[in-house]
Structure formats: C-alpha cells, structure tokens
Amino acid sequence: MEIADLPKDKKIILFDGVCNLCNSAVQFVIKRDRKDIFRFVALQSELGQKIVNHIGIDTKNIDSIILYEPGKAYYYKAEAALQIVKELGGLYVGLRVFAVFPAFINNAVYDYVARHRYQWYGKRESCMVPTPELRAKFLV
C-alpha cells in the first residue's frame, strides 16, 4: 500500500508491533471502536515506515504511538492517546481530564512508561498477526 492509498476517512494508529503493552492497547481500542474509526499499522512494517517518513517523524527520537489522520494531522505520545480515547467516547472521554496538564508533564509520564514497557510487559519476537476477523482493521 502507498501513502496515496491510505483511507482518508479513517484515523491510523501506528504502534510498536513487538511490544506486548502496545498490542494490548490495540486490542483495547479495537474492542471499543464501535464507529469503526481506526486502522492499525505496526511501526516496524514497510507501510509504517512509509507513513512516518511521509509525516517527517524520526522514530529514533520518538518511542511512541502515533495517530495519523491522512491529509489532516498527526499526534504522538500522550496527545495521541488522548485523541484516541476522545474518539472512543463513553466513559473513556473521562480520561481526557489529563489534557488539563501541560503536554510536557503528560509526555514525561508517557516517556517513562515507554522506556520501561519491554521490561514490565515483555516483547514478542515478531509483530502480531491479526485474526481473519480483524485483518480488515490492519493496513499493510
């Protein structure tokens, strides 16, 4: 898939495909994405690399989840997480209370967890392979 072929009506979550915490977060979002807003791409994939290069993010400096809205905007770290829960609606919108804190505080907490995620949650040998039912949610 090429950048021009990305669905314009979906928000794309780029995630660390070998991180157990990140994979759990993806599963969490999938189960609650009742409006079918999100699509998912592993940062390690060819498409993931094309997207980060297209939007100009150096992943050596970003240890993060990225939310990309094709042709509109992108968010990373805590801001991406806050944008995602906003779209999930329901009680999860309550997590937006963290938006009252300055970005540097939210990102410091985010970075701390990101630095320790493999130690605390482990990592996989390879990226998750979605089940046939979930395959349409993942872009390749």
Side-chain angles (χ1 to χ4, degrees):
M1 180 176 283
E2 297 301 322
I3 298 296
D5 300 325
L6 292 173
K8 305 288 187 245
D9 61 334
K10 302 295 179 191
K11 296 180 181 190
I12 300 168
I13 298 175
L14 294 106
F15 67 100
D16 180 346
V18 298
C19 168
N20 286 335
L21 174 62
C22 303
N23 279 285
S24 293
V26 165
Q27 294 301 319
F28 177 89
V29 172
I30 287 171
K31 287 179 185 170
R32 290 154 183 85
D33 183 19
R34 292 187 176 91
K35 297 182 212 167
D36 193 35
I37 294 169
F38 299 107
R39 292 296 177 264
F40 304 88
V41 177
L43 283 165
Q44 294 87 346
S45 71
E46 183 180 333
L47 180 58
Q49 289 303 299
K50 285 180 185 178
I51 294 170
V52 296
N53 288 333
H54 174 72
I55 59 180
I57 293 179
D58 181 359
T59 54
K60 292 179 186 125
N61 298 325
I62 299 290
D63 197 10
S64 178
I65 191 169
I66 300 168
L67 176 64
Y68 176 52
E69 298 180 34
K72 296 178 187 166
Y74 68 88
Y75 309 91
Y76 57 91
K77 295 189 180 192
E79 188 177 11
L82 292 171
Q83 289 292 324
I84 291 167
V85 297
K86 179 175 110 177
E87 292 294 347
L88 294 179
L91 296 175
Y92 305 106
V93 173
L95 294 172
R96 297 267 310 148
V97 70
F98 292 104
V100 301
F101 296 107
F104 78 90
I105 292 174
N106 287 336
N107 284 336
V109 172
Y110 186 98
D111 288 340
Y112 181 78
V113 173
R115 253 190 324 278
H116 299 287
R117 70 185 188 274
Y118 293 147
Q119 176 186 357
W120 296 341
Y121 299 96
K123 75 187 258 189
R124 301 163 183 246
E125 293 297 316
S126 61
C127 292
M128 171 184 80
V129 177
T131 62
E133 307 83 64
L134 296 180
R135 192 168 308 275
K137 295 266 189 193
F138 290 82
L139 303 175
V140 289

